[in-house]
Amino acid sequence: MHPKNAFYAQSGGVTAVINASAAGVIETARAHPEAIGTVYAGANGILGALHEDLIDTAAESAETIRALRHTPAGAFGSARYKLKGLEENRAEYERLIEVFRAHDIGYFFYNGGGDSQDTAHKVSQLGEAMGYPVTCIGIPKTVDNDLPVTDTCPGFGSVAKYIAVATREAGLDVASMAQTSTRVFILETMGRHAGWIAAASALAREAQGDPPHVILLPEVPLDEQRFLERVKASVEGFGYCVVVVSEGVKNADGTFLSDQGTRDAFGHVQLGGVAPAIAALIKNTLGYKYHYAIADYLQRAARHIASATDVEQAYAVGQAAVEQALAGRNAIMPTIVRESDAPYRWHVGEVALAEVANVEARMPAEFIDASGFFVTDACLRYLRPLIAGEDYPPYRDGLPDYARLRGERVTPRLPDFRA
Amino acid sequence: MHPKNAFYAQSGGVTAVINASAAGVIETARAHPEAIGTVYAGANGILGALHEDLIDTAAESAETIRALRHTPAGAFGSARYKLKGLEENRAEYERLIEVFRAHDIGYFFYNGGGDSQDTAHKVSQLGEAMGYPVTCIGIPKTVDNDLPVTDTCPGFGSVAKYIAVATREAGLDVASMAQTSTRVFILETMGRHAGWIAAASALAREAQGDPPHVILLPEVPLDEQRFLERVKASVEGFGYCVVVVSEGVKNADGTFLSDQGTRDAFGHVQLGGVAPAIAALIKNTLGYKYHYAIADYLQRAARHIASATDVEQAYAVGQAAVEQALAGRNAIMPTIVRESDAPYRWHVGEVALAEVANVEARMPAEFIDASGFFVTDACLRYLRPLIAGEDYPPYRDGLPDYARLRGERVTPRLPDFRA
């Protein structure tokens, strides 16, 4: 049997470690030339397949592929592009299969969140139906940690570490100035529907009175009165208050605290600006001087302070995806299976794509404490190992030396396609 | 001659490395027990002297003092508190001298910016006049890099490194998503009157087309039309645009682009929210999807990514301050003197406090390019060595292990004082 080529694509919001998964895929594929020919990567994710814009990863040196392990964001380009349902837009799925056929692609590795697992699942079904079976393996990735079944999602551990470090550092800053300056500091984090990222700030607390003093989660509707009481108690008791707020925090009526009114390509409401809303609430009622930070992309791109555990797991799921494909598995996603919290032990398992496609995992209720403004010890036990270890990139001239791809394109063989 | 005690205080906005200066002072003083007794630190800066709230650094272990070198923010507390002029408020200056006399303090090390150098200068004059001469040495510190004479200010190199790293990382993020998502990313930096911090983002650019694509400096009044043209050209040419904007950027009429209308204790206008103003301008005229980050305190507290050069210089000026005092110097501030750019060579010099008090250094005109939207090669040559080297703090459980002081207080000997 002659080796089939593989197609790898990155999807949705990028992370500090999604390229480590890419390195896991490509290095493992290169180690099996008897079974896998060339790995083609989609330029700008799945759009690369639709537009037959394929990056030839064979043109990249072993050194460059190794450097992907320490390079943040999506080296091949990612896309916020959700394929519609099979009924609504069969043409797009058929186009994917045509492009795969034209380039002798027998493996599809799709690195993304719940939407992407859904797409991978549909492609596997359609290939079968069209007489061109493709081995489809999803590779988990979300900073939001919102995929089901897997214990954690690669990408989350690093943003969790970033937020915990930022909370500790900014907390020291505010503590040292509070006597005459800022009393309340607000850090806005990502996290549309799940509070995982904001929750991770709790890891910064070593002793009673340490920041963060209040965490606002999307899972807990904001009770303004109780929130303000808590801020006041913190300022009066400790001299200052550090609030970590998830971008997805909602009012009691279920509306987002700061809904900009726009939507992304997946139809999700696009958020931002919760921190100023919280700041204004505090200033107008309690009168405290405030500052706020909005970490935005800095938090998910911060490869310089990535979690070593997260990097290792991101690589491992990329590697496992290829190994599972070679073992004849199909329509599955490798998962992280936790064996124990301390010492932290884990291995890679698998789950059927049908079980994870479009399912969004929330924080369990037992991870949020009775006040609703902090997390429980169980949550901390879960989170702690995910930020463990540092995996610093190499530096040149004081800056991280990230990979630069040649990005050589494969000559198209099909007519243009417009979806 | 019996050894006099010393008083050390931190002033104004804290930095990632001001505690390294504290370590330099305390370790050097401890090495000279024949000349310096105990180093007392002001709790919350100069307020500690006014309120006779002194921290006994002798109660801190050698290990803790060494750990200050890798701990951000002000370990003893800082204050935004400017002593008024001698004529207006002689009582405060006299109180300082009384407290110094009561605790046998013969050395005053004041670690801060231009305002603090002014205070140190006045205390040295008044001590003389009151018959209680005090050796007053200023120790430079500002993230804004706005002290004159010294080649750079400890604190700046680390925030410069943070901003350059953040620009490179977020730039990769935006580049990888721009096809279907965010086109314009705006990073708001500190820098009230001087554009040094925003300018440092330019170090992230390795090749033509790399971010940042536009830098908005307080030194260059915003020309909206030309700015928007530049953003458009970047999006059309490179697919995306990264804008780094200093909080102090002004309109053509000299008003701050985003004046919150409040003032800090030094009477400075308090800023914030420039990024959303720039974002709205772009959205409303060009229609591009945008994201913005406001780094705020995260940038100046980011000891985890401090510049090794900056840490070394911060320690060196603390050490030099004590050595200069022991050599009989008075009313001076140690400075960083640059000998060469590449290889970077420097030594510690000195300047009279009278020459630096209340003088604010701006970016030289030859550091801003003809467009006004970027910096020159001369500026890059100046900046590059300041971010060189990494000086990672130790980690425990995935988080930086920062110093915790005992903070033991000295028993007061004077009646209460109310300024």
Side-chain angles (χ1 to χ4, degrees):
Chain A
M1 194 187 86
H2 98 123
K4 289 273 189 185
N5 297 318
F7 177 72
Y8 167 81
Q10 304 180 320
S11 179
V14 293
T15 79
V17 302
I18 185 173
N19 287 331
S21 293
V25 167
I26 297 167
E27 290 186 343
T28 309
R30 285 185 179 187
H32 294 280
E34 76 291 352
I36 301 182
T38 300
V39 177
Y40 299 128
N44 300 306
I46 201 70
L47 294 179
L50 290 174
H51 300 153
E52 204 188 358
D53 190 4
L54 307 179
I55 295 168
D56 184 359
T57 71
E60 309 295 340
S61 70
E63 191 187 356
T64 299
I65 300 302
R66 203 176 314 122
L68 287 178
R69 189 178 165 118
H70 66 244
T71 299
F76 304 102
S78 185
R80 290 203 181 279
Y81 187 86
K82 182 178 180 169
L83 273 72
K84 299 195 189 78
L86 257 177
E87 305 306 311
E88 300 162 72
N89 197 351
R90 194 175 178 93
E92 281 193 339
Y93 291 92
E94 287 177 354
R95 167 71 175 184
L96 287 182
I97 300 295
E98 280 164 29
V99 170
F100 288 176
R101 199 194 302 259
H103 295 274
D104 204 20
I105 289 166
Y107 305 96
F108 175 30
F109 300 107
Y110 202 20
N111 202 170
D115 292 322
S116 310
Q117 309 309 329
D118 178 54
T119 299
H121 184 226
K122 285 178 180 146
V123 170
S124 97
Q125 293 175 309
L126 193 71
E128 205 68 54
M130 287 175 67
Y132 188 82
V134 178
T135 299
C136 295
I137 313 281
I139 303 173
K141 170 244 66 168
T142 79
V143 293
D144 291 328
N145 206 33
D146 58 359
L147 284 169
V149 187
T150 186
D151 180 68
T152 185
C153 303
F156 170 65
S158 292
V159 72
K161 188 182 184 91
Y162 175 95
I163 291 297
V165 170
T167 301
R168 176 167 291 179
E169 291 182 333
L172 287 173
D173 187 309
V174 180
S176 61
M177 302 287 302
Q179 180 89 359
T180 56
S181 183
T182 300
R183 292 286 193 167
V184 177
F185 176 71
I186 301 149
L187 173 60
E188 177 178 322
T189 73
M190 287 181 158
R192 213 180 347 242
H193 299 304
W196 290 113
I197 297 176
S201 67
L203 293 167
R205 181 188 283 186
E206 282 179 309
Q208 186 62 23
D210 281 359
H213 305 102
V214 189
I215 303 175
L216 299 179
L217 304 164
E219 288 83 355
V220 183
L222 182 65
D223 179 334
E224 288 192 5
Q225 196 53 46
R226 287 182 51 247
F227 167 64
L228 290 167
E229 280 163 16
R230 182 129 174 168
V231 171
K232 188 159 180 269
S234 176
V235 170
E236 289 176 356
F238 312 121
Y240 69 113
C241 182
V242 172
V243 179
V244 178
V245 54
S246 169
E247 62 175 338
V249 75
K250 296 189 191 73
N251 293 304
D253 64 4
T255 57
F256 286 114
L257 206 68
S258 179
D259 184 346
Q260 289 188 342
T262 54
R263 286 174 188 273
D264 72 11
F266 294 131
H268 303 141
V269 172
Q270 200 188 337
L271 302 175
V274 173
I278 294 291
L281 177 64
I282 291 170
K283 179 74 182 172
N284 295 335
T285 53
L286 301 173
Y288 297 134
K289 181 178 172 187
Y290 64 85
H291 259 244
Y292 59 81
I294 300 178
D296 196 61
Y297 293 156
L298 305 192
Q299 68 201 286
R300 74 180 193 193
R303 181 60 184 81
H304 75 274
I305 190 63
S307 152
T309 303
D310 191 34
V311 174
E312 196 185 338
Q313 293 181 338
Y315 187 91
V317 293
Q319 176 179 2
V322 174
E323 290 171 348
Q324 288 164 341
L326 294 180
R329 310 291 299 141
N330 192 0
I332 60 155
M333 178 187 89
T335 58
I336 303 297
V337 180
R338 183 181 301 224
E339 298 168 13
S340 64
D341 293 331
Y344 180 54
R345 289 206 188 88
W346 59 278
H347 67 268
V348 176
E350 66 169 64
V351 61
L353 288 176
E355 285 182 50
V356 293
N358 288 324
V359 181
E360 200 169 68
R362 304 288 175 93
M363 276 181 70
E366 64 268 27
F367 277 14
I368 301 172
D369 83 358
S371 75
F373 295 125
F374 211 74
V375 299
T376 60
D377 287 345
C379 182
L380 292 170
R381 276 196 302 277
Y382 166 77
L383 291 170
R384 196 166 285 119
L386 305 182
I387 70 162
E390 294 68 55
D391 184 345
Y392 299 119
Y395 277 69
R396 202 177 64 231
D397 289 339
L399 283 162
D401 192 11
Y402 292 135
R404 276 184 191 261
L405 298 184
R406 297 160 54 95
E408 227 166 76
R409 295 307 206 271
V410 179
T411 310
R413 296 174 180 175
L414 297 174
D416 279 0
F417 172 80
R418 285 287 158 258
Chain B
M1 195 186 83
H2 98 122
K4 289 274 188 184
N5 297 320
F7 177 73
Y8 167 81
Q10 303 179 320
S11 178
V14 294
T15 79
V17 301
I18 184 172
N19 287 330
S21 294
V25 167
I26 296 167
E27 291 186 343
T28 310
R30 285 183 178 188
H32 293 280
E34 76 290 352
I36 300 183
T38 300
V39 177
Y40 298 127
N44 300 306
I46 200 71
L47 295 178
L50 289 174
H51 299 153
E52 204 187 358
D53 190 4
L54 307 179
I55 295 169
D56 184 359
T57 71
E60 310 295 341
S61 70
E63 192 187 356
T64 299
I65 299 303
R66 201 176 316 121
L68 287 178
R69 188 178 167 121
H70 66 245
T71 299
F76 305 102
S78 185
R80 291 203 181 278
Y81 187 85
K82 182 177 179 169
L83 273 72
K84 298 195 191 79
L86 257 177
E87 304 307 310
E88 300 161 71
N89 197 350
R90 195 177 178 93
E92 283 193 338
Y93 291 92
E94 287 177 353
R95 168 69 176 186
L96 287 183
I97 300 294
E98 280 164 29
V99 170
F100 288 176
R101 198 195 300 260
H103 294 276
D104 204 19
I105 290 165
Y107 305 95
F108 175 31
F109 299 106
Y110 203 21
N111 203 169
D115 293 322
S116 311
Q117 309 308 330
D118 178 55
T119 299
H121 185 225
K122 284 177 179 147
V123 170
S124 98
Q125 293 175 311
L126 192 71
E128 205 67 54
M130 287 175 66
Y132 187 82
V134 178
T135 299
C136 295
I137 312 280
I139 302 173
K141 169 243 65 168
T142 79
V143 292
D144 291 327
N145 206 33
D146 59 359
L147 284 170
V149 185
T150 186
D151 180 67
T152 185
C153 302
F156 170 65
S158 292
V159 74
K161 187 181 185 93
Y162 174 96
I163 292 297
V165 170
T167 301
R168 175 166 293 179
E169 291 183 333
L172 287 172
D173 187 308
V174 181
S176 61
M177 303 286 302
Q179 180 89 359
T180 56
S181 183
T182 300
R183 291 285 192 168
V184 177
F185 176 71
I186 300 150
L187 172 60
E188 176 178 323
T189 74
M190 288 182 158
R192 216 182 341 246
H193 299 304
W196 290 113
I197 297 176
S201 66
L203 293 167
R205 180 186 284 186
E206 282 179 309
Q208 186 63 22
D210 281 358
H213 305 102
V214 188
I215 304 175
L216 298 180
L217 304 164
E219 288 84 353
V220 183
L222 182 64
D223 179 334
E224 288 191 6
Q225 196 52 44
R226 287 183 50 247
F227 167 65
L228 290 167
E229 280 163 17
R230 182 129 174 167
V231 170
K232 189 159 179 269
S234 176
V235 170
E236 290 176 355
F238 312 120
Y240 69 113
C241 182
V242 172
V243 179
V244 178
V245 54
S246 169
E247 63 175 336
V249 75
K250 295 189 192 73
N251 293 304
D253 64 4
T255 58
F256 285 115
L257 206 68
S258 180
D259 184 347
Q260 289 188 343
T262 54
R263 287 175 187 272
D264 73 9
F266 293 132
H268 302 140
V269 172
Q270 201 188 335
L271 303 176
V274 172
I278 293 291
L281 177 64
I282 291 169
K283 180 75 181 169
N284 295 335
T285 53
L286 301 173
Y288 297 134
K289 182 177 170 186
Y290 64 85
H291 258 244
Y292 59 81
I294 300 179
D296 197 61
Y297 292 157
L298 306 192
Q299 69 199 287
R300 74 179 193 193
R303 181 61 183 83
H304 75 274
I305 190 60
S307 152
T309 304
D310 192 33
V311 174
E312 197 185 336
Q313 292 181 338
Y315 187 91
V317 293
Q319 176 178 2
V322 174
E323 289 171 348
Q324 288 164 341
L326 294 180
R329 310 292 300 142
N330 193 359
I332 60 156
M333 179 187 88
T335 57
I336 304 297
V337 179
R338 184 181 299 223
E339 296 167 15
S340 63
D341 293 332
Y344 181 52
R345 290 206 189 89
W346 58 277
H347 66 269
V348 176
E350 65 169 65
V351 60
L353 289 176
E355 285 182 51
V356 293
N358 288 324
V359 180
E360 201 170 66
R362 306 287 176 94
M363 275 181 72
E366 64 267 26
F367 277 14
I368 303 173
D369 83 358
S371 75
F373 295 125
F374 211 76
V375 299
T376 60
D377 287 345
C379 183
L380 291 170
R381 277 196 301 277
Y382 166 77
L383 290 170
R384 194 165 287 118
L386 305 182
I387 70 163
E390 294 68 56
D391 185 346
Y392 299 119
Y395 277 68
R396 202 177 63 231
D397 289 339
L399 283 161
D401 192 11
Y402 292 137
R404 277 184 190 262
L405 297 184
R406 297 161 53 97
E408 228 166 74
R409 295 307 206 270
V410 179
T411 310
R413 296 176 180 173
L414 297 174
D416 280 358
F417 173 80
R418 287 287 159 260

